[in-house]
Each structure stands twice: as C-alpha cells, then as structure tokens.
Amino acid sequence: MDNKTYTAGLAELRGVRDEIKPLERQLMKLKSELDKLYARRDQKIVSLGGFEKAKADRLATSAGVSVIDVVTLVPSLGPQAPASAPAEAAPTDQPTEDHTEPQTAAQPIKEPPGAPAPALGTPGQPGTVAHPQTGSDEGERQEQQLPAEDPAAEPAPAAPASPAPPEPGTVPQQERVLPSIPAGETGDRWFRAEPNLMSTRPNFVQAARQMVFLDTATGVLVWQGGQVTVDLGRAGVADILTAVYATVPADVERIYITAGDPWHQNAAGHQWLKDAVAEWLNGPLPEGWRVESSRGKDRQAGHLVHPRNPVGRWQRGDQHTEIRSVGEWFDPAGADPATVREAFVLLWKALRRHWDDVVLMGSPSQTGRDLWSRTIPSKTGAKWADGFPVMSQEIRGLLHATAGQGRTELITPPRVPEKIPGWYEADRTFAYAKHTWSSGVGVPQRVTAAAFAALSEKEQGNLLFSPSHWQVRVTIPQGWNHVGLLPAPAPGERSWHYPYEGGRTFVTWAGGAEVNLALRNPLQPWGIEILDGLVWQKGEPLKGWANKLKDAWQSLRAMSGHHGDEQQRQAARLASRAVRSILLYGIGTFAQRPRITTGSVELGADGEVPEIPDGARLTGLTDTHATWERDGGFARDPYAHPEWAAGVWSAARAALLSAGTGTKDAAGKPVKAGALHLPPGSILAFRTDAIYSSVRPDWPYQGEPGDYLLKGAMDWELGTPTTEDEFYDLQRLGRQALEAGDQ
C-alpha cells in the first residue's frame, strides 16, 4: 500500500463514518421510544394483574411476552409458597469484614425547641457573616466544613419530618427516623474519647505480597518472571489455583483477575448475583487446599462475597493466597494483563516519591489507610504527635446513622419535561481531594439549641463555619423551584432523598458545609433552626496525605498524556485512577461502618444445613454450601474517624450545588459552578460527583481536583430517563457521542 492508496482509504473511511452517524441518532431515538413503550406495557400488566380474576397466561398473550415475564412483574399470579415456608432474607451488598463490639443505641428524646441560624446571606449581600479566618473566596470558605460520618446507632425517635405527598398510585412508605442526642447529662457523657484508643504512626513496615495478573477469558498470566498462556478449563477456583501454581512460585500470595469475571459464570442460574459469586468461591478445591481460617491479627480469614469485586482466600499448609478483582482499583477498560501489571508498577513508583516504605496492599482502601497512618506527626512536641483520639462509640454511632455519602438522585417528570433538548454529563475531577485541607479533630463540643441561641450572631456564624454536624429543622422557602439542598431520611436502610417542595418543613442532620450552602445559596436562603450540634476544633489530619496523593495523581496524568509509548500511556492512566481509588476508599475506611462477617458451611448428608454462628442468617444456598451473614457491630479500631469521612462527603455534596472554580469572568467576578448555576428544571440526575442536565454547562476546566469535566453530551432531543436502566443507557450513549465528536 502506498501513500495515495492510504489517503484514499481514509477518505472512504470518513464517508462510512458520516453514513453511520445519522443512523446511530435514529437508533438512539427509536430505542428511547421503544423503552417508553416497554415501560407502558409493564405498567399496564401490573395494573391489570391486580384484578382478582386476572390470569398470567391471558396477560402474557395480550402483551406478547412470556408467562414468566408476567409473573416477574406480578408475583401474585405465580405459584405461591406454602404458608409454612420460611421467609428468605434477601442478601445485601455490604462489604464484609470482622468487628466485635456491639454499639450503644441513641436514646429517644423529646425534640427540643430550635434556635434560628443567622441570615448569612450570600457574599456581598447584607447580612453576610465574616469568616473568622482570612480568605475571600466563598467556595473555599464553604469547603472548610468537614463534619462526621459512620458508625451505626439504632435509630431513635427524633422529630418527625413532614412527608412529601406520595406519587399517584403508590403506597406511602414510612420515612426512616434519625436518632438524636439524649438530653442533659446522659447526652453529655457521649462527648468523650474512647480510653486508650488513638490513631498513632506505625513503627513497622508492611510485608510486601507477591502478585500475578490473570485474564481468565484468554488464560494470559503475567508476573515478575514473565508471561504465559495457561489452560484454565472452566475457570473455577480449582482450575485457577492449579494452573497458576503450576507456573509461578508458591510465595505468590495475590492473584488479580484483570478480565473474565469467572465468579459470574453461573449468574443466569441465580436470582442474586451474590449467590453466583458465593457458589463460585465455594467450588471444589485442589487436593490439600482449604478456605483460609486464620492469618495474623491484621488479616481477615474467609471470603468476601461481593457481587462484583469478591475476595477469595485459601491456604495449603503454610501457603496462603487470595484471588481478587482488579476492579477494586480501576476499570481496566480492556487492558491486557501486562499493561495492568505495569500500571501497578507505575503506581508504586509514583507513591514511593512520597513514602519510602510504601507497600501496595490488597485493596485501595487498605493501602490508603496505611499510607495515611504514615503521615501522622512523629516529631516530639508536634501537635497530635501522640496520636488522634477516637471518639466515643455513641458519637460514632450517631454519625453513622445521620451522615450519608454521595448524592444519588434521578429526577423524573413532572419535575422535568418528558422531552429534553439534550443530555450533558459534568463530572468533578478527583473531587474528594478538593475537600481534605481542613477537618475536625479531637473530641467535639456539644452545642444545644439553647447554647446556640445564647451566642451573638458573629459567634453563631463562626460555629457554622467550623467543622460541624447539625441537627436542624429546615423550612424550604415558598416559591422555591430548583433542586433540594439538604438530605433527609427516606424509607429504607440508610436511604436519603432531597426535599424540594416550597413551604415544606422537615428535621434532619447535615454537615456544616451543607447548612452553610442552604443559608447562603445563590438563589434564595432556606430557613434553618439549630436543634443540636457537634463542633470540632479545626485541624489538618488529611491534608498532607491528600497532597501527596494529588502530586502522584498529577504526575501520572501528565505521563498518560505525553509518554511516547502507548502501553505506558495506558498504564499511567490506569495508575492515576488507582490513586483516585486510594483517596476515595481511604476516606471511606475512616467511616468504619459496623462490619458484616460472612462465611459459608458445607452441607451435611441429605442437604442438611449444619449449625451456623449465633446471630447469623442464611443469605445463600447451593447444592453444596450455605452462606451466612452476621452483623459484627463496631471493633476498637484505632483508625475510626467518621468525622473526617462525613466532612468530606458533606463538602462534596455542597459543591455539587455551588462551588468556586478559581477563575473570573470578563467583569472580574468569580465564576461559580454547580447545579444551582443551571436553569430550574434542567437537572436530570446526580451521581456522587456528577451532574446530568438538559442544558450544556459552560464551566472552565483546568484539570485541577474539583473541576467539572464534560464527560458526555448529546445535543438533540431525547426522552427523559425515568428508570435506572434508561439513565445508564443515556450515560453510555452520551459518553460515546462526545468521544466520537458527534454532538
């Protein structure tokens, strides 16, 4: 082939591309319409299925679906279990680790009278309270609130929230009630540190674990000694252990699966994905192998039954091994095992610039916590050199029950039009790294409604700008026509929603960042009454750790854009995503939720289920094994700091609504970004750090943590998503359209 033929071929290829584009658009529109028809059909089946004389076969014939499809939508039309059959508990998707101590429940109290928060206004408006420290940027001041998050307290009655009117045709559900702090001395006793429990710098170096990388779809195995293709048979546990250890040394202790997801190979045979995973983990083993039962104080024995990123642990004599998913660290995006291994090498090198003793542990959360612990001050006389105190179990339980994580919300008609002019996804880059520069440290101070009311307006403002967590009565102003600002408890365990109806009043807990945002948002201040609160002294326990991770992230991002070798560029991209996971999940480990212990037992003769531990419940049953779960409560974890996790999460949720961009417009005014800076009725969804809208956001992007990056765009008319499946379809299509330049 010569240059002329090659150039002509490119021109022909562009012509094919241009023919494909309009057809893809038509296909997207047709799929959107078809999905809506499917939804109408299913709704009609459910409606008709409620008739007492309804028959599954007649409905199936009329709808053009199978009887199984009808019974799935209307279970009452299917065969019913006998009255004596035990109710089966649905498996949960919670991570599983060991904890031992039960928690103390928050006590029900009578709701106290509230103290109105000061009218902070917005910067430059009358009534604005000056920040107690220097600095003029409103976005930066909002980000100083870093309240708390984690341990679970039994929900105790607090003031009932005003319920939203139920959607037509739905059965109203009772909202979850959040706990309160007991009145008087009982509640005051919560405000203490756990005795003899501190976060201190470790005096040892983690042991490095040898690892290999395996694509179970192709059989390609890569390790320090080279690359081979192995025969994995059906890719069961026995097949993998046999093939891997026939090739690599026995001191390899970690097998990362890069592609193939072998634990899902029988997913079609199970209602729940976790059951398929449990069946795979409990499959036959080679001779001499068994499930790991013990391995030192810092390791958890047994399997972690996670639906997508499980961890299997086995041993053969003194030999121990894990099979893990590389998806814990990043989406490999089709990368081969050699490239994935190179990503881990680049990750280690980038981190070693800041930590001489860095060791990549099994998961990013473990690695993040270990690296953070090595930033604790050690110099004699330095502040917190003796360690960071862990708060009382009662306060940790309160934070667990009242401080949520990322905002997840799908906004559907009639709040938004059924047809939208476009679809745009704006995602905050490395968002949590933006909110780690100031956190609450030490034992918090309690601020009751009466104590708050007794303060001057300036003192009240100073408290609201401190790291804090507040129980508040919220009143949404009449005429409010945008999204909700503050989380409120919704039906279901740890579920949250965001009330938005003008005139509505409800009681909730919120971090200081969000309370400030509600009081000084750019549209209209909300009414806030303080009922109770926790206020910490300001510190920087996460700043040094996060700054080092940000430096590693930036260096890897630069390499991914400029390296001359494509494999190195791809590996650097994956490594930068791993750094993001280290920070993201590292922050999550501070939350220290009450952990769930999982395990499995082999069935006895005639399928008899042997005894399971006290307090456990069955979550899965196969032909050979029964899987169980047990709530282990809280352990005496020296790294339990839910106040830090909750503070970052609160600040990130507030920044989804309004945040500074570090730039100015032509008139010299600061440019702001966030949902409240887009028109009412244009917000379609929130997903942790991302906003989805029908209007294209025009916000500057400089590649810094917290900047909004346009990740998906379709600038033609579409149907508004009304289900999670429709949402994810549009998310995928929007990203493809932007990447192809077809928008």
Side-chain angles (χ1 to χ4, degrees), residues 388-542:
F388 293 97
V390 174
M391 294 181 301
S392 71
Q393 188 168 279
E394 292 87 353
I395 291 294
R396 285 181 283 143
L398 177 74
L399 291 171
H400 170 72
T402 61
Q405 298 189 38
R407 179 169 182 167
T408 299
E409 184 179 15
L410 181 64
I411 300 174
T412 58
R415 290 180 61 187
V416 292
E418 293 189 356
K419 294 287 186 180
I420 50 176
W423 169 272
Y424 303 95
E425 176 187 1
D427 184 73
R428 296 185 71 216
T429 298
F430 204 21
Y432 284 5
K434 180 75 173 178
H435 307 293
T436 53
W437 68 281
S438 178
S439 304
V441 289
V443 176
Q445 169 192 1
R446 182 181 187 181
V447 180
T448 63
F452 189 85
L455 299 173
S456 68
E457 188 170 296
K458 180 179 179 181
E459 290 170 329
Q460 291 176 345
N462 288 346
L463 283 183
L464 291 174
F465 277 110
S466 296
S468 51
H469 191 61
W470 301 95
Q471 186 183 32
V472 291
R473 184 184 294 110
V474 183
T475 301
I476 304 174
Q478 295 287 354
W480 181 262
N481 66 347
H482 219 296
V483 297
L485 304 186
L486 294 174
E493 184 181 0
R494 292 195 60 75
S495 296
W496 302 88
H497 65 161
Y498 294 81
Y500 61 91
E501 306 91 339
R504 178 174 176 179
T505 295
F506 61 97
V507 170
T508 190
W509 284 85
E514 293 163 288
V515 172
N516 273 288
L517 188 281
L519 288 167
R520 51 195 263 115
N521 74 79
L523 302 180
Q524 189 177 5
W526 282 25
I528 301 291
E529 292 177 75
I530 301 298
L531 304 179
D532 215 334
L534 299 84
V535 179
W536 288 264
Q537 59 179 299
K538 291 176 184 171
E540 299 177 348
L542 304 179

Side-chain angles (χ1 to χ4, degrees), residues 126-197:
T128 299
V129 176
H131 192 276
Q133 294 186 348
T134 58
S136 59
D137 183 74
E138 174 210 354
E140 292 301 315
R141 283 181 277 171
Q142 288 180 349
E143 289 163 10
Q144 294 198 28
Q145 281 59 262
L146 291 165
E149 136 77 323
D150 203 319
E154 288 292 327
S162 303
E167 296 293 331
T170 62
V171 178
Q173 291 181 283
Q174 185 175 1
E175 287 193 345
R176 197 170 78 260
V177 179
L178 298 180
S180 300
I181 305 171
E185 293 184 1
T186 303
D188 291 342
R189 283 195 293 269
W190 288 18
F191 291 79
R192 69 183 192 282
E194 284 289 345
N196 305 315
L197 195 61

Side-chain angles (χ1 to χ4, degrees), residues 554-603:
Q554 288 168 335
S555 67
L556 290 166
R557 290 244 304 180
M559 181 185 295
S560 71
H562 301 104
H563 201 285
D565 182 83
E566 172 57 28
Q567 185 194 44
Q568 290 290 300
R569 288 199 300 272
Q570 186 180 14
R573 273 196 301 274
L574 297 179
S576 71
R577 299 295 292 175
V579 175
R580 175 186 177 275
S581 295
I582 288 172
L583 185 135
L584 179 71
Y585 297 119
I587 288 171
T589 63
F590 292 125
Q592 195 238 344
R593 301 188 181 286
R595 298 181 182 177
I596 303 297
T597 302
T598 66
S600 62
V601 290
E602 191 171 357
L603 301 184

Side-chain angles (χ1 to χ4, degrees), residues 620-643:
L621 199 60
T622 69
D623 292 339
T624 59
H625 287 79
T627 306
W628 53 266
E629 267 185 7
R630 181 173 60 180
D631 186 349
F634 294 105
R636 283 180 55 81
D637 185 348
Y639 299 110
H641 290 285
E643 67 274 24

Side-chain angles (χ1 to χ4, degrees), residues 655-677:
L656 268 186
L657 301 170
S658 182
T661 64
T663 62
K664 295 183 178 181
D665 60 18
K669 294 182 179 180
V671 176
K672 300 297 179 65
L676 296 182
H677 300 279

